[in-house]
Amino acid sequence: MSAPPRRWLWSLGGLAAVAVVVLLVLPEPEAAGSSLSRAPSGWWATRAYLEARGVEVTLRDVPFDHHPAADHGFAADRDFAADRAEAERPRSPEGLVEAEPIDADVVAVVFPLQRSLGAGEIDPLAAHLRAGGVLMIGYSGDEPSPSETRLLELVGFGDTVSLRASPPLAPRAWWRHRGERFTLEPTSGHDGAPLEVAAFDLAPARGFAPAAPGQVFYTVGSPSHDAPVALVESFEHLGGRVVLLPAALLANDEVAGSVDLLESLTALGARWSFAEHLHGVLRPSVAAASSTTVAWDLFVLHLLLVYLVLAAMVAVRFGPPWRESLRAHGSTADFLRSLGTLHHRLRHHHDAARRLRERVERLDPRAQLPDLPLPVAGDGDGLVRFARAIARARRPGATNPRTSDD
């Protein structure tokens, strides 16, 4: 087996170099909705504004249902009696566990998330509302994820409403659709100027829960509804207050036009807590205890290993080494030569001679062919002698008794 040409090695090396450069040049995926992100969709400017206004801001790096004993090991240091009491804690009439309230006035959960909101984290958020706290939800405006659906259902929003038509297929129309912006009109009970924000597709809508008394700050028209759709609103729920707004409204690239709204939000409380654990900021002990990332890494590693094995199986030849001869492909002679080789291998010599005589006599009934015996199967030389004799009889100067009878 011949060694691969050097140009192929240079090509593979060039592709590997290009891949490394692309991985180094490409920016890291931005953490949309994170108060630590300076990307256009981050909330760093909102957090900086709150801190400048004297608000005490904390960044939560543990899940809402995090047990303090989990920071001190598992076997020897953990209090299993406390865990059992936690599991047997009575539930509220809404079916939620009576969890300890969160130590903050306002808890901000901004979508989209980089980490799923666990089912057990809903109970502490409900307890925070029952203790009179404020829960601010920045919804994504896209098709809600399971985490977003779970949290919106907690505050009584089990449905969505479409704000604009589906994206068109024409490139120019799609580009205009992508750059579309909404103008949010203030309601009569809110003293504020209209706001502009990048358009999004969906907004939460009340589902199974009745409308709670509250205040709607901004609305926008919808092609699927006659009445304007509330985009920014505040209402009472479970004894606390819920503030619902699109996450893009307070993002870094839009917050400059929403200063009046942000100023009114500072009156919600003096202590704010941003759920940064949902954007990948985890305490080392919590990150080490989480097996989801490790399991995913192992799964990807196994897929990569299987791909490399399959690629090696396809690339490496099996059997003894051989050298392929260069042939001219695509010619009629090559096709006929391959066809003759196949018939020779199948021992079709006797049938070939018989059909050769029959077809010559059918084409020229007056031809005088020599009376030669047909070769047996497997007699390649006999077939060649028989064909040459037929060819000599068919030459223009050969005697033909049938012609003299005419």
Side-chain angles (χ1 to χ4, degrees):
M1 180 174 56
S2 60
R6 182 170 297 181
R7 63 175 181 271
W8 288 106
L9 296 179
W10 282 107
S11 300
L12 292 177
L15 289 177
V18 170
V20 171
V21 171
V22 169
L23 291 177
L24 293 177
V25 171
L26 285 179
E28 296 183 359
E30 60 183 44
S34 172
S35 62
L36 296 174
S37 175
R38 296 173 181 260
S41 57
W43 271 41
W44 179 85
T46 298
R47 178 176 64 86
Y49 182 88
L50 292 174
E51 291 175 341
R53 297 292 294 163
V55 176
E56 180 184 348
V57 177
T58 59
L59 306 180
R60 189 175 182 89
D61 57 356
V62 294
F64 293 116
D65 58 347
H66 177 68
H67 198 289
D71 294 333
H72 306 286
F74 179 78
D77 300 330
R78 188 157 182 172
D79 188 357
F80 290 98
D83 291 346
R84 189 179 302 107
E86 181 79 13
E88 296 175 355
R89 182 177 297 178
R91 294 179 175 269
S92 66
E94 293 83 3
L96 304 175
V97 175
E98 296 287 352
E100 295 294 334
I102 301 171
D103 188 19
D105 298 331
V106 182
V107 176
V109 181
V110 185
F111 293 90
L113 306 180
Q114 281 72 47
R115 182 179 177 273
S116 299
L117 179 68
E121 299 186 70
I122 298 297
D123 299 336
L125 291 175
H128 175 69
L129 289 174
R130 287 196 296 271
V134 179
L135 175 61
M136 188 175 70
I137 303 175
Y139 56 88
S140 63
D142 299 325
E143 190 68 29
S145 63
S147 298
E148 189 171 359
T149 301
R150 190 181 298 118
L151 186 58
L152 290 176
E153 288 179 350
L154 169 67
V155 297
F157 285 75
D159 200 359
T160 56
V161 56
S162 177
L163 299 180
R164 57 178 180 169
S166 301
L169 298 180
R172 291 185 179 179
W174 178 86
W175 188 259
R176 290 193 300 267
H177 178 87
R178 185 177 180 273
E180 185 180 356
R181 298 183 64 83
F182 284 158
T183 299
L184 279 60
E185 299 292 341
T187 58
S188 57
H190 176 65
D191 295 334
L195 303 179
E196 284 195 359
V197 66
F200 46 91
D201 297 328
L202 301 174
R206 298 188 184 275
F208 50 84
Q215 180 181 7
V216 176
F217 295 100
Y218 290 94
T219 61
V220 72
S222 170
S224 59
H225 285 70
D226 297 333
V229 178
L231 294 188
V232 182
E233 58 181 310
S234 173
F235 55 91
E236 295 180 359
H237 186 70
L238 296 179
R241 178 159 294 275
V242 177
V243 177
L244 202 63
L245 52 82
L249 194 59
L250 296 182
N252 294 332
D253 58 346
E254 300 284 357
V255 69
S258 308
V259 176
D260 293 340
L261 175 63
L262 187 56
E263 181 65 25
S264 63
L265 294 179
T266 57
L268 294 175
R271 296 180 302 161
W272 283 53
S273 177
F274 285 90
E276 288 301 320
H277 70 284
L278 298 175
H279 297 283
V281 180
L282 291 174
R283 190 175 299 175
S285 58
V286 177
S290 177
S291 59
T292 304
T293 304
V294 177
W296 175 253
D297 291 343
L298 290 177
F299 175 72
V300 173
L301 181 61
H302 280 78
L303 285 183
L304 180 61
L305 181 61
V306 171
Y307 174 79
L308 292 177
V309 171
L310 292 178
M313 292 176 60
V314 173
V316 177
R317 297 180 176 182
F318 294 95
W322 75 92
R323 184 181 298 276
E324 295 180 353
S325 59
L326 298 178
R327 295 182 180 179
H329 298 281
S331 64
T332 305
D334 185 69
F335 169 73
L336 295 176
R337 188 181 299 109
S338 301
L339 187 61
T341 302
L342 176 62
H343 285 295
H344 177 70
R345 188 183 306 166
L346 298 177
R347 302 170 63 86
H348 291 164
H349 308 86
H350 180 78
D351 295 336
R354 177 175 54 82
R355 293 194 178 186
L356 177 60
R357 177 186 287 274
E358 292 176 355
R359 292 182 180 179
V360 170
E361 292 178 345
R362 188 181 305 169
L363 292 174
D364 188 3
R366 299 182 300 173
Q368 184 67 27
L369 301 180
D371 190 10
L372 296 176
L374 297 177
V376 297
D379 186 8
D381 295 337
L383 177 60
V384 173
R385 290 192 298 269
F386 183 84
R388 287 177 176 174
I390 295 294
R392 283 194 299 266
R394 293 288 299 143
R395 288 175 182 173
T399 59
N400 193 337
R402 297 184 182 181
T403 304
S404 60
D405 293 340
D406 296 338

